Structure formats: C-alpha cells, structure tokens
Amino acid sequence: MPRIVAESPPKLPDSPVKRSRIGDLPMRVIYRFLAVGLAVILAAVAAVVGFVSSGSPDQPGEGKTGQIAAPSAAPPSPGPGSAEPSALATPATSAEPSASEPAASVSAQASPSGTSSASASPSESPAETAAPSSAPDGSEPAPDRSAVIAALADPRVPDLPRDKRLGRLSGKSGKSKRRVQDGKSGVSLVRLGKPWKVFGAAPFSTKQVLPKAKGAAHRAMLVSCPVPILVQKKAKDTALLAARWTLNHHPKGSKITWTASQSIKNGWLLAYRVKYKVKGKARSSMAAVAVTEIPGAKPAMLFATIPDVQSKYWRAINTAVSSLRLK
C-alpha cells in the first residue's frame, strides 16, 4: 500500500509588518510641523542671545546700567568779596560796563571748596566791577544812539552845545526851607515860596506852578518825575531826549536854543530858551531839564519852564536845580 505521509499543516504567515504612518500624511502637514519646529528653535536662540546681551553693560551704544547723571552744582553763595548786582548799582553818568566785567564774571566760578573765588580788588570801585542793573521798568540803557540821532534830526532841536555852566538867571529865587518829596522818582526838591504853589501833579509825580499870566501861552511850572523817554547810556543824551519831549508842554511850533549844558551830581543839566509865537508875536520861555541817576530805577527828571511875561521868576530855575537831592 502506498505510504501515506501526513503533510504538516501550512505555516500561517507572520503578522504583517507594521508600517510607519508618516508616509500616509499629506506633505502640507509635514511642512507645517517643520515650520513650527524651526520657529521654536529660532525663538529659543533669540532669547538666549538677548539675555546674554542685556547682561553686558559694555555693548557699543549702551550705557552702564544704574548710572544717573548728577545734577549741576548750585551756584555758590556770594563770598565776602562779592556782592549782589543791585547792591553795586551806582548813579554814574554812563551805564556802560567796564572792560573788567567779563574777566570778573569768568573768575567768579565756584572753587572746589564751594566758595566763590572772585573778589573785587581794593583798587576797583563797585561801579567798575558791577554790570548795569536791569530793572523791569525800562531803566536799562538803550543799546545804541538811534534815538539821539533821531532827536538831532528834528528841526526843533539843534546840536548839543559845548559844555557851559548855567549862569545866574534874573528875577526872584523863590527859595524856601520847605521841600517836596517825590517818592515815585526817588528824589526831593525845594518847595518854592509864594506865589508858587503845589498843584495837581498828573501826568508828573510832583508839580508846582505860578499863577496864570496874561499873554502867556502856557503856565509856568516846576515838575519832577521818572524820565518819560528811553534811557541812554550817557546822562547827557538822556537829558537831550527829555528836553525834546518837553516841547509837548510848550506852544505848537516851539524851537529850542541851548543856553547851558553841564554835569551835575549823578546826572546832567540842559538849560534852553524855547521860542514860539503867540497870536503872531514872537515869544519865548526859559526852561531847563535836569536828569539824575537813581540806583536800580529809571533816572529822575526835573523840568522847569517859565514864560517871558514872568521872567522875574526865572531865577527859581537856579534854585530848583541846585536843590535836587536823592531821597
């Protein structure tokens, strides 16, 4: 009989090999994962670099952390050899600063000890070391002579004469022991005796007048006030502008003829005849302007005018000018 051989049961195949599912993913998803991963890596690198940079204070263009600029040192208090500008202001006829001022201001810087290293030498006067004070009321001198040039171009005002003292005028002096105090201008002056009397001051600070005279185009008066014009570097120039301004208180068409030009204590005096016409007839007045420097303020002005019909009182102008004093 044929040999029957039992065949072995067929081997079952092993379980199928597991495949990676990456190949089954769409490419756009793969690119998205790669982009996100790259962004994370770059962000991490940037953070590390920023941390390292912030910890180094010596990077170009960066200052060291924790440094704060110190405030400038306060100016030192004036030492025994220095003074406040207002305390050094003196009534000089010229307000021009001296050549020593720039050097004085430079040397006045604070020394390491905190005290002022500048002091006026014994040979220097306060007027030489102090700059002209600047006051809010316009007392600081004008920077040029443009106003003076304009005044001299006025046909009513002749060129200034050579210095000449005011002579003794004719008439009664009006002298008395009483005085008028001008608190606004910082001066005092004589209160003239009768027939002079104190009158309403406006627009001046003080005002004294004579009775009205027949044939006079204006009233004789003696007034004082701060100068109503632009202050000049020289008191003589200031007096010139003041004299021109007084023509406003004389008849229309008045012209000046100088009779005196002289320095007075702390200022300047100009005396002049004012010529005009009254009803076609030639008339004149004797007048004078005295300008006095006032420390820290505008100069004071004394103005007197007396028409020729009252010439017997002209000497009161001498009395008034000589009586002018600082308060």
Short mmCIF file of all heavy atoms in Angstrom, two decimals, residues 98-110 116-119 128-131:
data_model
loop_
_atom_site.label_atom_id
_atom_site.label_comp_id
_atom_site.label_asym_id
_atom_site.label_seq_id
_atom_site.Cartn_x
_atom_site.Cartn_y
_atom_site.Cartn_z
N SER A 98 32.32 148.16 32.47
CA SER A 98 33.76 148.32 32.30
C SER A 98 34.36 147.09 31.65
O SER A 98 33.77 146.03 31.60
CB SER A 98 34.42 148.54 33.66
OG SER A 98 34.27 147.39 34.45
N ALA A 99 35.60 147.25 31.15
CA ALA A 99 36.25 146.14 30.45
C ALA A 99 36.60 145.02 31.39
O ALA A 99 36.87 143.91 30.97
CB ALA A 99 37.52 146.66 29.76
N SER A 100 36.59 145.28 32.70
CA SER A 100 36.97 144.24 33.65
C SER A 100 35.83 143.30 33.97
O SER A 100 36.02 142.30 34.63
CB SER A 100 37.46 144.89 34.96
OG SER A 100 36.41 145.65 35.54
N GLU A 101 34.60 143.61 33.52
CA GLU A 101 33.47 142.78 33.88
C GLU A 101 33.55 141.38 33.35
O GLU A 101 33.28 140.42 34.06
CB GLU A 101 32.18 143.46 33.42
CG GLU A 101 31.87 144.68 34.25
CD GLU A 101 30.69 145.46 33.69
OE1 GLU A 101 30.09 144.96 32.74
OE2 GLU A 101 30.40 146.53 34.22
N PRO A 102 33.87 141.17 32.04
CA PRO A 102 33.92 139.77 31.57
C PRO A 102 34.89 138.92 32.35
O PRO A 102 34.62 137.79 32.68
CB PRO A 102 34.34 139.92 30.11
CG PRO A 102 33.92 141.30 29.72
CD PRO A 102 34.10 142.12 30.97
N ALA A 103 36.07 139.47 32.70
CA ALA A 103 37.04 138.69 33.46
C ALA A 103 36.51 138.38 34.84
O ALA A 103 36.71 137.31 35.38
CB ALA A 103 38.35 139.48 33.55
N ALA A 104 35.80 139.35 35.43
CA ALA A 104 35.27 139.13 36.76
C ALA A 104 34.22 138.05 36.76
O ALA A 104 34.14 137.23 37.67
CB ALA A 104 34.69 140.44 37.31
N SER A 105 33.37 138.03 35.71
CA SER A 105 32.32 137.02 35.67
C SER A 105 32.88 135.64 35.45
O SER A 105 32.33 134.65 35.92
CB SER A 105 31.32 137.38 34.55
OG SER A 105 31.99 137.38 33.31
N VAL A 106 33.98 135.53 34.68
CA VAL A 106 34.58 134.21 34.45
C VAL A 106 35.24 133.70 35.70
O VAL A 106 35.15 132.52 36.05
CB VAL A 106 35.60 134.31 33.30
CG1 VAL A 106 36.39 133.02 33.17
CG2 VAL A 106 34.89 134.62 31.99
N SER A 107 35.91 134.57 36.44
CA SER A 107 36.64 134.13 37.62
C SER A 107 35.73 133.89 38.79
O SER A 107 36.17 133.45 39.85
CB SER A 107 37.68 135.19 38.01
OG SER A 107 37.04 136.41 38.32
N ALA A 108 34.42 134.17 38.65
CA ALA A 108 33.51 134.01 39.77
C ALA A 108 32.96 132.60 39.87
O ALA A 108 32.01 132.36 40.59
CB ALA A 108 32.34 135.01 39.63
N GLN A 109 33.54 131.62 39.15
CA GLN A 109 33.05 130.25 39.24
C GLN A 109 33.40 129.66 40.59
O GLN A 109 34.33 130.06 41.26
CB GLN A 109 33.67 129.41 38.12
CG GLN A 109 33.26 129.89 36.72
CD GLN A 109 33.95 129.08 35.66
OE1 GLN A 109 34.80 128.26 35.99
NE2 GLN A 109 33.60 129.34 34.42
N ALA A 110 32.62 128.64 40.93
CA ALA A 110 32.80 128.04 42.26
C ALA A 110 34.11 127.29 42.34
O ALA A 110 34.50 126.56 41.43
CB ALA A 110 31.64 127.09 42.54
N SER A 116 33.05 131.20 46.56
CA SER A 116 33.36 131.99 45.38
C SER A 116 34.81 132.38 45.40
O SER A 116 35.35 132.81 46.41
CB SER A 116 32.48 133.25 45.37
OG SER A 116 32.85 134.07 44.30
N SER A 117 35.46 132.26 44.24
CA SER A 117 36.87 132.56 44.15
C SER A 117 37.11 133.95 43.62
O SER A 117 38.25 134.35 43.42
CB SER A 117 37.56 131.55 43.23
OG SER A 117 37.00 131.61 41.94
N ALA A 118 36.02 134.73 43.30
CA ALA A 118 36.19 136.07 42.76
C ALA A 118 35.93 137.09 43.82
O ALA A 118 34.99 136.99 44.60
CB ALA A 118 35.22 136.29 41.60
N SER A 119 36.74 138.13 43.87
CA SER A 119 36.53 139.24 44.77
C SER A 119 37.11 140.48 44.14
O SER A 119 38.08 140.43 43.40
CB SER A 119 37.19 138.98 46.14
OG SER A 119 38.58 138.81 45.98
N GLU A 128 32.98 149.93 38.73
CA GLU A 128 33.82 149.32 37.72
C GLU A 128 33.59 147.83 37.61
O GLU A 128 33.81 147.23 36.57
CB GLU A 128 35.30 149.59 38.02
CG GLU A 128 35.68 151.07 37.90
CD GLU A 128 37.09 151.32 38.37
OE1 GLU A 128 37.61 150.45 39.09
OE2 GLU A 128 37.68 152.34 38.03
N THR A 129 33.16 147.20 38.69
CA THR A 129 33.01 145.74 38.69
C THR A 129 31.59 145.30 38.47
O THR A 129 31.35 144.14 38.18
CB THR A 129 33.50 145.18 40.04
OG1 THR A 129 32.76 145.79 41.09
CG2 THR A 129 34.97 145.45 40.23
N ALA A 130 30.63 146.17 38.62
CA ALA A 130 29.24 145.76 38.52
C ALA A 130 28.70 146.04 37.13
O ALA A 130 28.98 147.07 36.55
CB ALA A 130 28.39 146.50 39.55
N ALA A 131 27.93 145.08 36.62
CA ALA A 131 27.26 145.31 35.36
C ALA A 131 26.04 146.17 35.62
O ALA A 131 25.49 146.17 36.70
CB ALA A 131 26.82 143.97 34.74
#
